[in-house]
Amino acid sequence: MARDSLFGESIVWRGKCRAVSVPFGNKVVSFVAAAVSAVTLGYAVVAAKSLNAPVGGMVLFAAWCATVALGAWRLPLWWRSQIEYIVTERHVIWRRGPIRRSIDRAQISYALIRWSPRDPTLGDLVIVRAVPTGALRRTLSLTLHDVETPDRLWAIVRGVEPSAPLGSGERPLAQRLDPGERVLWSGAPLASAWTTRRAITAAVGAFLALTFVRSLARSAPALARVLRAHTLPPALAAVLVGAAALGMLVLLAVAAGVAYAALVRPSRLARATRYFVTNARVLIRRDNEELSLDRSRIAYVIDAPSRKLHDVFLVLDGPQARAMAPSGAFGTEDRDDSLRPVFSAIADADTVGEILKKAA
C-alpha cells in the first residue's frame, strides 16, 4: 500500500477534481466585469469618434475589466486542475505542487457536502474543525472540490464502511444512513429570521433599485435628445444606445440579485431545510447542501427562544477546542449563509434537546 511522503502513513484514498467547475461568485464577478468593460469601451468609441476626446484612460479601464473577467472565469479552472486530495490513516490532505494543507481525522468536527446541480454524483466536501471562541476564534476548514460521490468519501474519512445507497445527491438523506443508523427525530424551520446581515442586504438592494430608477429617468431623456438631433452617424448612435442599455441592464440585474438574496432566498432555503437526529449523527439537508455531525462531538445544547419558536445551538467539543467560529455556536452570525450546526426556528426544542443530551 502506498504511503504519504510527509506523514509516512498508508494512503486510504486518493483523488482529484473529477469535473473542474467555476464558483458562482466568480461567475458573477466575471459577468459584471465583462459588462462594465463592454459599456466603457462603447462610450470610449463614441467619445473618440464624435468629440475627438482622448479616451486612453477609458480604454485602459475597459482592458483591466476584461482582464478581471477572464481571470475570474479561468483562474479557478487552472488552479483546481492541479489539486490532489489524499486520505491517509490519520489525516486528510489537500495538495497542489509544494503547497500542502492537512487536518487530523480525529479532530474533524463536522462536514458539509455541496452537491453539484449538474451531476448528482459530484460535489464539494468541506471538512471543518472546531476552534475556540474569543481571541483564538478562527476558521479551520479544508475543501475538496468536485470529488466523486462526496458522501462515500466522507464515510471513508469517518472510518465507516460506505453503504450501498450512498453516491447520489438526488437520493433522500434519510435513505443514505450508515448501517444500523436510524432516525430518532426530524423537523424543519418554521420561519426565516431577519438577521442584521439580511436587513443590510435588503437596504442595499433598495438603494440599488432607486439608483437604477434615477439613472434611467435621467439618461433616457438625454439619450433621446441626442438621437433626435441626428448629430451621430447611425453606427455610433447604435453603439451609444447599446452601451447605455447594457449599463442599465447590469445595474438592474445587480439590484434584482441583491433583492432576491435578501427577500426571497432565505424563505426559499428555510422551506427546503430538513433536520434529522439519528442515534449516531445530526444531519441537516438544504437544497443541494448537507451537514453531517457526529453526536459525540456535541458538548452542550443551548436553547435560545425567539418569540414563539426556538433556535437550538450545538456547541461542539474536540481536541483542544470547544465551540467554533464558523458554526455560530453562541448565536453570532457567520460571514456567509452556509449550513451551520444550528436548528433554527423550531417548535419542539425540548424534545430534540433531550434526545441530544442522551448518549449516542
Side-chain angles (χ1 to χ4, degrees):
M1 183 178 293
R3 290 186 172 271
D4 178 69
S5 59
L6 179 62
F7 297 105
E9 301 167 358
S10 298
I11 296 176
V12 178
W13 180 91
R14 185 196 299 267
K16 291 186 176 182
C17 298
R18 287 295 305 271
V20 182
S21 61
V22 179
F24 177 75
N26 288 65
K27 293 180 180 179
V28 173
V29 171
S30 180
F31 166 76
V32 173
V36 171
S37 176
V39 171
T40 305
L41 188 60
Y43 284 133
V45 170
V46 174
K49 294 294 184 180
S50 62
L51 303 176
N52 292 321
V55 294
M58 297 177 67
V59 173
L60 185 61
F61 178 72
W64 178 80
C65 289
T67 303
V68 170
L70 182 62
W73 189 272
R74 300 304 303 179
L75 281 179
L77 302 179
W78 166 77
W79 179 260
R80 292 184 180 183
S81 64
Q82 304 297 323
I83 297 176
E84 183 181 17
Y85 310 122
I86 301 171
V87 178
T88 69
E89 296 171 305
R90 294 184 53 189
H91 292 85
V92 178
I93 303 169
W94 177 102
R95 185 171 68 184
R96 188 186 191 278
I99 306 174
R100 176 191 289 255
R101 296 183 60 212
S102 63
I103 289 183
D104 193 318
R105 289 170 59 180
Q107 296 179 352
I108 296 173
S109 302
Y110 68 91
L112 289 171
I113 295 176
R114 300 190 181 105
W115 293 96
S116 170
R118 299 179 304 276
D119 188 340
T121 64
L122 298 179
D124 299 341
L125 176 61
V126 184
I127 299 172
V128 182
R129 180 184 182 272
V131 296
T133 57
L136 298 179
R137 178 178 175 141
R138 61 198 186 280
T139 299
L140 296 177
S141 63
L142 205 63
T143 302
L144 283 60
H145 294 285
D146 298 308
V147 294
E148 188 175 12
T149 60
D151 53 351
R152 284 182 174 271
L153 177 56
W154 174 230
I156 294 174
V157 173
R158 292 186 291 122
V160 176
E161 184 68 25
S163 59
L166 297 177
S168 175
E170 293 181 337
R171 190 171 291 115
L173 184 58
Q175 297 181 8
R176 292 184 279 115
L177 303 178
D178 294 337
E181 189 176 12
R182 64 186 187 280
V183 176
L184 304 179
W185 176 89
S186 66
L190 302 179
S192 58
W194 271 90
T195 62
T196 303
R197 180 176 180 270
R198 184 180 178 185
I200 293 175
T201 304
V204 171
F207 173 77
L208 291 175
L210 291 176
T211 302
F212 167 76
V213 173
R214 185 176 180 180
S215 300
L216 184 62
R218 288 188 173 186
S219 61
L223 189 61
R225 287 195 298 268
V226 172
L227 295 178
R228 283 196 299 266
H230 300 289
T231 57
L232 295 177
L236 285 183
V239 172
L240 179 62
V241 172
L246 181 58
M248 289 295 100
L249 286 176
V250 170
L251 184 57
L252 177 61
V254 173
V258 174
Y260 172 81
L263 303 177
V264 179
R265 189 168 186 269
S267 299
R268 185 183 65 81
L269 291 180
R271 291 193 298 269
T273 302
R274 294 293 181 271
Y275 305 128
F276 300 92
V277 176
T278 73
N279 58 324
R281 289 185 293 168
V282 170
L283 303 170
I284 303 177
R285 177 70 187 256
R286 185 183 67 187
D287 259 2
N288 63 335
E289 288 186 295
E290 297 175 5
L291 183 146
S292 173
L293 164 65
D294 195 311
R295 285 179 55 183
S296 63
R297 295 296 189 188
I298 301 175
Y300 307 114
V301 178
I302 300 178
D303 180 8
S306 177
R307 297 181 181 179
K308 296 181 179 181
L309 301 176
H310 299 259
D311 293 337
V312 177
F313 296 91
L314 309 181
V315 181
L316 307 188
D317 201 0
Q320 301 178 346
R322 176 151 295 182
M324 62 181 59
S327 71
F330 297 121
T332 57
E333 296 180 23
D334 200 2
R335 281 176 284 182
D336 55 36
D337 58 356
S338 60
L339 282 181
R340 302 174 296 165
V342 177
F343 295 154
S344 300
I346 61 174
D348 53 345
D350 293 337
T351 301
V352 68
E354 289 299 323
I355 294 175
L356 291 174
K357 290 175 184 178
K358 296 179 181 179

